[in-house]
Amino acid sequence: MAASVPRDVTSYSLGLAAPLALFFLVFFVAPLVQLLVLSLHNDTAGAAWGFGQYVHFLTDPFSLSVLGSTLLLGAEVTALCLVLGFPIAWLYHRVGSRAQTLIILIVLLPLLTSVVVRTFAWIVILGRQGIINATLQSIGVIDTPIRLLYTQLGVVLALAQVQMPLMTLPLITALGRIDSNLEDASCSLGAGSWRTFWKVILPLSLPGVIAGCTLTYAAAITAFITQSLVGGGQMLFMPMYLYQQASTLQNWPFASAISIIFLLAVLAVVSVFGLLGRLSRGYGGA
Amino acid sequence: MGGRKRTWEAISFEVVLTAIALIALVVIIAPSLVVLIVSFTNGFSLKFPPPGYSARWYAELWNAWQLHFAARNSFVVAMWSTGLSIVLGVAAALAIARSPKLSARILDSLFMSPLVLPALAFGLSALMLFSLIGLPVSALTLVIGHTVVCVPYVVRNTVASLAQLEPTLLESSSILGASRTYTFRRIVLPLIRPGVIAGAFIAFMSSFDNVPVSLFLRDAATDMLPIRMWQDLEGKLDVTIAALSGVLIIATVALMAIMERATGLSKRLTS
């Protein structure tokens, strides 16, 4: 029987995905469904159904400001990663293969280093006795140490350094797919380097830009440790808000509602980027 | 072609982009170097530059049994999660990698979703599920939770390796009379192995370093290293933590170098 029926030997049965699909159904999908169910309870005991937790969040100026500042933080980190990450990806395609490997390993280093270690490093750099303050004081720019730790600027810098690989790797892939003849054609038709960059390279790399932005944004707004250590107690973002409500205050229904709102916010951003991605692929015509 | 004006323009472009790229690369490695330097201080504070150098905090680390205990727990959980991720992830990747079916695309999105969804929300929801079904938090719940957030790395890297596999190789093997199992063992597995190892490496590192899932799924007996370090740092700036960070940075760099040689990690992640 086996020999007589020609089978496609290059693909495998979809059934091989069943164990992981089952694992995800039980330990990933089911918990999230349960989270949704619990968030629809008005009391902590879980007896009264209703949208009370959501009403509470959406009418509370404090909760809304936490959500707003979290979304803003993601945008700032993503923008900084794009501005710094694009030139790295560009440089990658202009150096030899040894230098290429070195660039990738440098870019990967923060992703693989322990999150506490790299956050700790930023505390040392930004602190009152840190490198930046010590340098500025020694060259006489400032008299007393300036506050860098526990500020928005500090959090954005630390997060951008940590999330850089998520932006740079998709950009390197995208730039590698651009036909170098297009660049030459643009130049020989009279466009300068800057014009070629804005009109040819950047539009063609949009799929990579969008992939990088999606990953960076999602990682930046969910980065619990860096936000809490570099941001300090004064700055509250969604992950810490969620953790406080769940762990310290034991208010699980409200923590669930925060989680669901946070999940929806991330999904909304990812979907918008995904839509832009499809549009850009059409635009790029590749 | 290329008048003087255009040349100046080209130079300005190259200089600006190269300068930003180099500054960015320095910013990326500076924090690791700073921690390494500070960890060799002979003082009690994290001043930079340190007043003098010694290895005393590394010696101190030798006796920090709480950190040893947490490190061992993190290592054991990471090993089990990585093993489970390889078994479940490689099988799933084989199924979905070359399938044009819509169901395969949906499964692919499902398996990738832990990468973008907030891990803290998942940690909380997993804790609620385990308490509902009466499974107390333990090393087992940690392994299950970590596997969910680590398996995407194995799936993604294995799918990428399978996509680069020449279908003609599988056809030739089949035409020459090899069974599917034999072809898998002798052709497919050796060719995708570097991708699987690279994915497993990243899965291991992210499990070893996981905080958001561990926060909810651990108990007193399963103190995890990154959480221990985080809690130590929130209280005071301890130089022992700097020494531990130094050890972790050196270990990470060494492992990356080994992985680069064994699997061509850098090429793997950019293709």
Side-chain angles (χ1 to χ4, degrees):
Chain A
M1 180 201 154
S4 62
V5 183
R7 287 171 61 194
D8 180 13
V9 292
T10 60
S11 65
Y12 291 87
S13 154
L14 211 53
L16 279 171
L20 186 59
L22 192 68
F23 188 83
F24 263 53
L25 220 54
V26 176
F27 296 116
F28 183 63
V29 179
L32 293 180
V33 171
Q34 204 208 341
L35 192 73
L36 181 66
V37 170
L38 193 63
S39 74
L40 294 171
H41 285 95
N42 286 345
D43 58 338
T44 33
W49 290 79
F51 290 98
Q53 308 297 346
Y54 292 93
V55 173
H56 175 198
F57 188 99
L58 296 171
T59 54
D60 175 25
F62 177 74
S63 301
L64 288 176
S65 77
V66 173
L67 178 62
S69 59
T70 309
L71 296 177
L72 179 68
L73 176 73
E76 289 173 348
V77 173
T78 308
L80 186 59
C81 277
L82 187 58
V83 169
L84 294 179
F86 205 105
I88 296 179
W90 174 86
L91 185 68
Y92 175 88
H93 289 290
R94 262 155 195 76
V95 294
S97 69
R98 272 175 177 277
Q100 283 188 337
T101 307
L102 189 66
I103 288 177
I104 295 292
L105 293 181
I106 289 175
V107 168
L108 270 185
L109 183 66
L111 190 70
L112 296 173
T113 312
S114 166
V115 66
V116 186
V117 173
R118 60 211 183 193
T119 302
F120 169 64
W122 281 99
I123 297 175
V124 177
I125 293 172
L126 300 170
R128 284 181 66 85
Q129 293 190 317
I131 304 170
I132 296 181
N133 269 319
T135 312
L136 290 180
Q137 274 178 305
S138 68
I139 56 175
V141 179
I142 50 170
D143 295 326
T144 50
I146 48 170
R147 218 175 129 83
L148 294 162
L149 204 58
Y150 314 133
T151 64
Q152 180 92 0
L153 176 71
V155 181
V156 171
L157 267 175
L159 281 175
Q161 184 246 348
V162 170
Q163 319 297 1
M164 195 65 84
L166 302 176
M167 178 65 86
T168 315
L169 295 178
L171 283 176
I172 286 176
T173 310
L175 287 179
R177 290 199 179 128
I178 298 175
D179 187 349
S180 62
N181 286 325
L182 291 172
E183 215 175 311
D184 295 342
S186 167
C187 284
S188 63
L189 287 170
S193 299
W194 286 102
R195 202 175 150 85
T196 303
F197 178 75
W198 289 113
K199 296 282 179 187
V200 180
I201 301 178
L202 199 60
L204 285 175
S205 63
L206 272 181
V209 170
I210 288 158
C213 286
T214 311
L215 291 172
T216 311
Y217 195 94
I221 65 174
T222 56
F224 175 61
I225 290 293
T226 309
Q227 289 171 2
S228 85
L229 285 179
V230 183
Q234 293 91 335
M235 262 177 295
L236 190 60
F237 299 105
M238 288 294 273
M240 188 46 120
Y241 192 36
L242 194 177
Y243 181 66
Q244 284 178 351
Q245 293 294 327
S247 206
T248 320
L249 302 172
Q250 297 282 329
N251 188 352
W252 282 14
F254 189 52
S256 304
I258 296 175
S259 304
I260 296 291
I261 290 169
F262 193 29
L263 278 171
L264 289 178
V266 176
L267 280 181
V269 171
V270 170
S271 315
V272 168
F273 278 128
L275 190 68
L276 290 173
R278 277 194 290 283
L279 288 175
S280 75
R281 272 195 291 278
Y283 176 54
Chain B
M1 45 170 278
R4 179 177 293 268
K5 202 172 139 207
R6 194 182 302 154
T7 317
W8 275 112
E9 210 224 347
I11 291 171
S12 77
F13 177 76
E14 303 255 324
V15 166
V16 169
L17 258 75
T18 309
I20 298 175
L22 293 178
I23 290 170
L25 289 171
V26 169
V27 169
I28 291 172
I29 38 176
S32 298
L33 292 178
V34 167
V35 169
L36 272 182
I37 294 168
V38 165
S39 69
F40 285 100
T41 185
N42 61 5
F44 285 90
S45 71
L46 295 164
K47 226 176 144 169
F48 191 93
Y53 295 91
S54 86
R56 60 183 285 196
W57 298 106
Y58 283 86
E60 200 78 27
L61 198 57
W62 198 254
N63 302 317
W65 63 269
Q66 276 187 319
L67 292 174
H68 295 195
F69 174 67
R72 197 161 45 236
N73 282 335
S74 284
F75 185 79
V76 170
V77 168
M79 286 303 273
W80 280 101
S81 310
T82 308
L84 199 54
S85 294
I86 292 173
V87 174
L88 295 172
V90 172
L94 284 170
I96 60 176
R98 289 167 175 275
S99 174
K101 293 195 191 105
L102 179 67
S103 50
R105 300 280 70 78
I106 293 170
L107 283 175
D108 187 46
S109 312
L110 172 68
F111 298 152
M112 287 303 126
S113 49
L115 287 183
V116 283
L117 295 183
L120 209 62
F122 166 68
L124 172 66
S125 66
L127 172 66
M128 295 192 308
L129 178 89
F130 290 134
S131 67
L132 184 78
I133 60 178
L135 192 62
V137 291
S138 63
L140 175 69
T141 55
L142 278 168
V143 169
I144 292 172
H146 280 207
T147 303
V148 169
V149 294
C150 294
V151 84
Y153 300 108
V154 176
V155 174
R156 195 171 55 182
N157 280 282
T158 311
V159 164
S161 298
L162 283 164
Q164 285 166 357
L165 193 67
E166 280 289 332
T168 46
L169 285 174
L170 305 182
E171 280 162 7
S172 344
S173 171
S174 159
I175 288 164
L176 291 170
S179 72
R180 280 175 74 86
T181 330
Y182 190 81
T183 306
F184 178 75
R185 221 155 32 81
R186 299 301 297 267
I187 311 284
V188 179
L189 204 53
L191 287 172
I192 65 168
R193 187 178 291 143
V196 176
I197 294 174
F201 170 62
I202 298 176
F204 178 88
M205 299 301 270
S206 68
S207 167
F208 190 78
D209 190 37
N210 184 291
V211 173
V213 176
S214 302
L215 263 180
F216 287 108
L217 299 183
R218 94 210 143 97
D219 61 1
T222 47
D223 196 8
M224 306 292 273
L225 189 63
I227 295 180
R228 172 97 256 155
M229 291 171 77
W230 173 55
Q231 285 169 344
D232 283 359
L233 281 181
E234 279 212 311
K236 60 203 183 314
L237 284 186
D238 192 339
V239 193
T240 320
I241 297 296
L244 177 57
S245 301
V247 172
L248 290 177
I249 290 169
I250 292 164
T252 305
V253 172
L255 280 173
M256 280 172 74
I258 293 170
M259 281 295 141
E260 178 61 25
R261 287 207 162 244
T263 71
L265 188 65
S266 61
K267 290 284 174 281
R268 206 151 286 289
L269 294 173
T270 53
S271 57

